[in-house]
Amino acid sequence: MSSVRLFYFDFPGRGELVRLVLAVAGVEFDDVRFSGADWAARYKPEAPFGQVPYVEYKGKKYGQSVAIATFFAQENGLYGDNNLQALRIDEVVGLVQDFIRVFIRAFVQKDPAKKEELWAALVKDDAPRFFGFFQKLLQENGSGYFVGDKLSLADLTVYDIVKQTRDTFNYDASTSFPEIKTLVENIESNENIKTYINGNK
């Protein structure tokens, strides 16, 4: 059994960023995926805060997706080369969390008319606004990555939200933002990411 066990539902969601970080870092981990029924019956009582994702690492459980992803990024050279680069990474991760909150508000809306209105606003206004922020930061750095000239947690976080917005409401940021398209290509050329993607088809 691996020293890292990740517990999450059998879809991307909040767990995918942690999976991506571990995959890029080449960290072997048990990707424990389960259904909603199994979550309530088996895993929720063991979750640190009654939430997923959580990890078991060296025999102890830890929660909160961003905290987990940040820890493994720091441990594996994916958190920049200095504190200023770490600040930029935190900035990008925080912006993605802001976008996710908008995303979730539309996703959980029960009223069909309001849901349609929120989805439309996401495609027309919210997604272009946030991806515009990310493109500007990529342009400022000029290397195809958010910090320095190598992959970091910031890149994986934006890559994850690009994929999830594409799959959830058919908005593909890589078709409208050239720097984001380059970022996606850079990440998907990573051999560890290729292995991870091919293993999850």
Side-chain angles (χ1 to χ4, degrees):
M1 185 174 69
S2 171
S3 65
V4 180
R5 303 187 76 207
L6 171 64
F7 298 82
Y8 195 67
F9 299 111
D10 191 18
F11 54 77
R14 292 280 193 173
E16 190 67 4
L17 178 60
V18 182
R19 292 174 183 140
L20 290 168
V21 170
L22 291 169
V24 165
V27 174
E28 290 188 10
F29 67 103
D30 294 331
D31 191 3
V32 182
R33 302 185 183 216
F34 43 78
S35 67
D38 285 342
W39 157 243
R42 179 177 176 185
Y43 296 103
K44 187 173 183 179
E46 300 180 3
F49 312 113
Q51 301 174 8
V52 282
Y54 67 93
V55 294
E56 185 175 311
Y57 177 62
K58 296 185 177 179
K60 188 170 181 177
K61 296 182 177 70
Y62 300 90
Q64 293 295 316
S65 59
V66 173
I68 296 165
T70 297
F71 169 75
F72 286 112
Q74 290 171 330
E75 289 287 292
N76 292 281
L78 296 167
Y79 216 73
D81 294 331
N82 54 57
N83 287 341
L84 194 57
Q85 288 190 354
L87 172 60
R88 175 49 49 89
I89 291 167
D90 289 342
E91 188 177 37
V92 171
V93 172
L95 271 172
V96 171
Q97 301 314 302
D98 288 346
F99 181 39
I100 288 172
R101 281 188 279 273
V102 177
F103 190 119
I104 290 174
R105 189 171 70 234
F107 191 78
V108 301
Q109 175 58 243
K110 302 297 185 185
D111 181 89
K114 288 183 179 178
K115 191 181 192 75
E116 185 176 344
E117 182 181 323
L118 288 171
W119 281 133
L122 260 172
V123 172
K124 180 176 181 292
D125 301 316
D126 298 313
R129 177 164 58 92
F130 279 99
F131 285 113
F133 293 151
F134 301 135
Q135 170 149 292
K136 182 179 178 183
L137 295 176
L138 287 167
Q139 289 171 335
E140 286 179 6
N141 192 48
S143 71
Y145 300 102
F146 281 101
V147 297
D149 58 0
K150 63 183 180 181
L151 194 59
S152 76
L153 177 63
D155 306 301
L156 293 172
T157 306
V158 172
Y159 172 70
D160 180 36
I161 201 64
V162 168
K163 289 182 64 181
Q164 297 210 41
T165 53
R166 183 191 64 204
D167 295 344
T168 304
F169 58 93
N170 200 32
Y171 180 89
D172 188 352
S174 65
T175 63
S176 301
F177 298 94
E179 282 75 10
I180 290 175
K181 183 176 186 291
T182 298
L183 177 72
V184 169
E185 291 170 349
N186 286 343
I187 291 173
E188 292 187 343
S189 69
N190 179 280
E191 291 302 321
N192 287 346
I193 285 290
K194 285 182 184 178
T195 300
Y196 173 72
I197 290 172
N198 289 335
N200 285 281
K201 285 182 178 178

